[in-house]
Each structure stands twice: as structure tokens, then as C-alpha cells.
Amino acid sequence: ITPAEGRGSNFMLKLDDRTLPSGFRSSTRPFQIQRATRGKALHFSFGASIYRVVGMDVADAAFVPDATELRPQWQPRLELLLSELEESPAVLRLSYLADVEDPGLVDRRVQALTRMINDNWRNRDGNYRLAIEHEVFWRMGKPPQNDRRLTADGRSRGGDTEKQP
């Protein structure tokens, strides 16, 4: 049944990648559009394949303090990562282990690192579209309350108005 039987109608079908088996990723566009007219059968085909998953774990120590820039000693490691990604199609899983950092800073760092990797990937003329998944793991299970940061001896700094003895 088409809404406009004389002209036909466009139908869009989208693949829900959550329905794919573990380790599989869509290898075609996730959606397809076809025009249906009366008496016409539609055929939608989607592709999926197993991709390698390359993991990259980062933490506060990899960045310049209170900034989104990688420390100089870690920048050459990006070249090694990109070389590994060029070997065969892969998904990059970027994990950030956060402790007492500001949640906004953590998000900005993850986004800056994602942009840096994507820019370098485009400059290399990668032979496939690089997908980057990212997740943040909080050492304490959630971001710190009231943006209070702790010193090595467990005292709070930055968010307290109380004087420490």
C-alpha cells in the first residue's frame, strides 16, 4: 500500500547496528531509500563484516596539565597507532580513565584526541572510513562531586573554602 498510488512514495529503511552479531559492523550505508510504486516489490540489501577492534587507553598523565594537548612524549605514539590502523579495516576504541579531573575537561580531551586522530587519518588518505568509539571510565565510578580535586594526602583543593590545618 503506497500513500500516493499514482506517483509512488519514497521508503527509507535503516539498519539498527545493535542487531548485528558481536564484532560485526555495517559495511554499507546504514540507511537506504527506494521509491515504491503500485505493483513494485522492493529489495533492500545491507552488508556487515567483522572488523578488528584496536584499543587506545589514555588518562590524565598523557595530557598537558589542565589542557587538551597531548604531552610531547606521547605525540609520536599516534603515528604508531595510525600505522596499525592502516594494516586492515578496524574500529578504534578510545578509552579514557578519569580520576578527579573536571568532567568538562575530560570531554574536551576525548573530543580533541578524536579530532587529532581523524585529521591525521584524512591526511594519510586512509583506505576506509575510520570509526572511533569512545568511552570514559571513572575510577571512583562517577565524576567527582562539586569539582573537588584531591591532593596526594587526600585533602581537597580547588573547591573548598575551608582552611586546611
Side-chain angles (χ1 to χ4, degrees):
I1 299 174
T2 57
E5 289 184 17
R7 294 185 338 202
S9 298
N10 288 337
F11 286 88
M12 182 172 120
L13 191 63
K14 184 173 192 282
L15 174 67
D16 184 355
D17 59 354
R18 296 173 298 177
T19 63
L20 295 174
S22 180
F24 280 77
R25 300 281 188 254
S26 176
S27 59
T28 59
R29 291 187 326 179
F31 63 91
Q32 293 183 19
I33 301 172
Q34 290 191 24
R35 186 144 191 94
T37 56
R38 198 163 93 178
K40 179 181 176 185
L42 298 180
H43 179 80
F44 292 90
S45 294
F46 293 95
S49 63
I50 295 179
Y51 272 56
R52 287 184 316 140
V53 177
V54 175
M56 179 181 180
D57 300 329
V58 293
D60 181 53
F63 294 89
V64 173
D66 297 322
T68 60
E69 181 183 345
L70 277 178
R71 290 181 188 255
Q73 65 266 32
W74 291 106
Q75 290 176 359
R77 304 301 284 182
L78 287 180
E79 181 63 31
L80 183 63
L81 171 69
L82 293 171
S83 296
E84 178 67 29
L85 291 169
E86 277 184 327
E87 288 182 12
S88 65
V91 173
L92 176 61
R93 184 166 294 144
L94 177 61
S95 301
Y96 188 103
L97 178 61
D99 192 8
V100 293
E101 299 99 280
D102 173 50
L105 177 61
V106 170
D107 289 339
R108 288 190 306 276
R109 284 177 169 175
V110 169
Q111 294 305 320
L113 190 54
T114 300
R115 266 192 314 276
M116 188 183 317
I117 292 168
N118 275 328
D119 291 345
N120 286 324
W121 183 251
R122 276 192 293 279
N123 291 340
R124 286 174 161 254
D125 294 327
N127 56 357
Y128 63 95
R129 185 179 170 276
L130 179 62
I132 301 177
E133 301 172 347
H134 34 74
E135 53 191 336
V136 176
F137 297 100
W138 290 94
R139 193 177 300 260
M140 301 299 282
K142 62 181 180 178
Q145 296 297 320
N146 298 331
D147 192 26
R148 291 187 179 165
R149 301 173 81 189
L150 301 179
T151 60
D153 63 358
R155 287 187 289 169
S156 146
R157 67 173 177 195
D160 265 351
T161 55
E162 298 178 39
K163 293 188 178 186
Q164 298 294 332

